[in-house]
Amino acid sequence: WFLSALTFSNLAMPAVLKRTATLSKVGLQKLFFGLTAVSMLQKVSFSNTSRFHSHNISTTEKEYPLIWNLTRFHPLSSLIEMTMGVASAREVMLDTETESMTLRENPTVYFVAAYATLLLRATKFDFNDAIVRSALFVPLYSKFLQAMHRDCLSSSPSALTQLLSSGPLRYLGSLTFSLFLLHAPIGQLFYKKAIATRLWGGPMSAAFFPSYLAIVLASSVAVTEGVIKNPSVQSLAARAARWLASQTEGMLQDFS
């Protein structure tokens, strides 16, 4: 689901980048706000229509969100969120040297605020993860990334910036693509009822979850070190990237 939506969004990126590069900072902020509103409209409409709020998930009453994956991984939704990321990155790129200092903020504030929004699912407001993500998490996390970028350029970065740039966390960061690819299929082996029943007699208990995490992490290390960092694979990827660049020359240029 996600990879197909990601492919669609990547194919649209040349046109998105070309037009986004022409916008001023104010224009980029308006674009981000408008895309957030469109993203929210889709999530709220689906949640209300299908009664798919968090309280429905936690009860024994069966709900059938037949198009929930289509809502989460819709190609246009993916394109909207990727364009929001492009707008955020471009806004920081337009910083002058003076603005890089005057606009500098401690990224820790936005980092904590973004993850604190996840607690809203436990409140009486009863928001589901899609609404929380679109309305609060993505905007706050985008501000966090902008703040961290500016913080990285300063002579005295915050403790959080230094922590996230440490060797162990940078190595974990290098595993993220493998983690993303492997966590779902490995999880189905242990927790999807139809598969787990055939293999183990039933889904694994919650007590097995730490072992599941360890298996996913170990598998991700193996794939990253054995495949993604493999010189032959990297050479093939580099040749593919050069060919794509030759076919799209001029399409990704910056505009003043």
Side-chain angles (χ1 to χ4, degrees), residues 169-214:
L169 288 187
R170 282 190 286 114
Y171 181 74
L172 284 177
S174 72
L175 302 179
T176 52
F177 185 65
S178 297
L179 285 166
F180 167 71
L181 291 179
L182 296 174
H183 79 280
I186 293 177
Q188 296 218 3
L189 294 176
F190 298 111
Y191 291 104
K192 188 173 180 63
K193 187 175 181 179
I195 299 175
T197 300
R198 283 179 172 269
L199 294 175
W200 326 108
M204 294 296 184
S205 66
F208 179 77
F209 193 72
S211 300
Y212 158 71
L213 291 180

Side-chain angles (χ1 to χ4, degrees), residues 12-175:
M13 276 299 108
V16 169
L17 292 173
K18 181 182 293 187
R19 286 158 179 78
T20 304
T22 65
L23 297 176
S24 65
K25 279 197 169 190
V26 174
L28 291 166
Q29 292 166 0
K30 290 179 178 178
L31 174 63
F32 189 95
F33 179 81
L35 292 176
T36 299
V38 174
S39 179
M40 267 296 296
L41 179 63
Q42 181 208 29
K43 306 304 190 304
V44 172
S45 297
F46 176 82
S47 299
N48 287 336
T49 301
S50 298
R51 297 181 294 126
F52 197 60
H53 292 278
S54 53
H55 71 276
N56 295 122
I57 300 172
S58 62
T59 62
T60 56
E61 180 185 354
K62 286 188 176 182
E63 296 290 334
Y64 299 94
L66 298 178
I67 59 171
W68 179 233
N69 275 346
L70 180 59
T71 298
R72 291 193 298 163
F73 304 132
H74 193 286
L76 291 178
S77 298
S78 177
L79 178 59
I80 286 172
E81 293 192 348
M82 286 182 64
T83 305
M84 290 167 67
V86 169
S88 295
R90 179 62 177 165
E91 183 183 346
V92 176
M93 289 171 61
L94 293 179
D95 282 355
T96 63
E97 187 173 346
T98 301
E99 287 177 326
S100 295
M101 299 304 298
T102 57
L103 295 176
R104 183 189 169 198
E105 301 172 288
N106 190 328
T108 307
V109 176
Y110 293 110
F111 181 81
V112 173
Y115 282 100
T117 61
L118 303 180
L119 298 176
L120 285 173
R121 293 188 63 188
T123 68
K124 65 180 181 179
F125 297 109
D126 202 33
F127 295 135
N128 64 30
D129 61 334
I131 294 176
V132 171
R133 183 183 71 178
S134 298
L136 297 170
F137 183 84
V138 171
L140 286 170
Y141 202 79
S142 298
K143 291 292 291 184
F144 158 66
L145 293 176
Q146 288 181 323
M148 174 153 294
H149 173 83
R150 293 178 176 121
D151 196 39
C152 286
L153 299 177
S154 70
S155 57
S156 55
S158 66
L160 178 61
T161 300
Q162 295 181 56
L163 174 64
L164 293 179
S165 62
S166 64
L169 288 187
R170 282 190 286 114
Y171 181 74
L172 284 177
S174 72
L175 302 179

Side-chain angles (χ1 to χ4, degrees), residues 240-252:
R242 285 194 293 270
W243 180 84
L244 288 171
S246 69
Q247 301 302 306
T248 58
E249 184 175 359
M251 294 178 68
L252 305 182

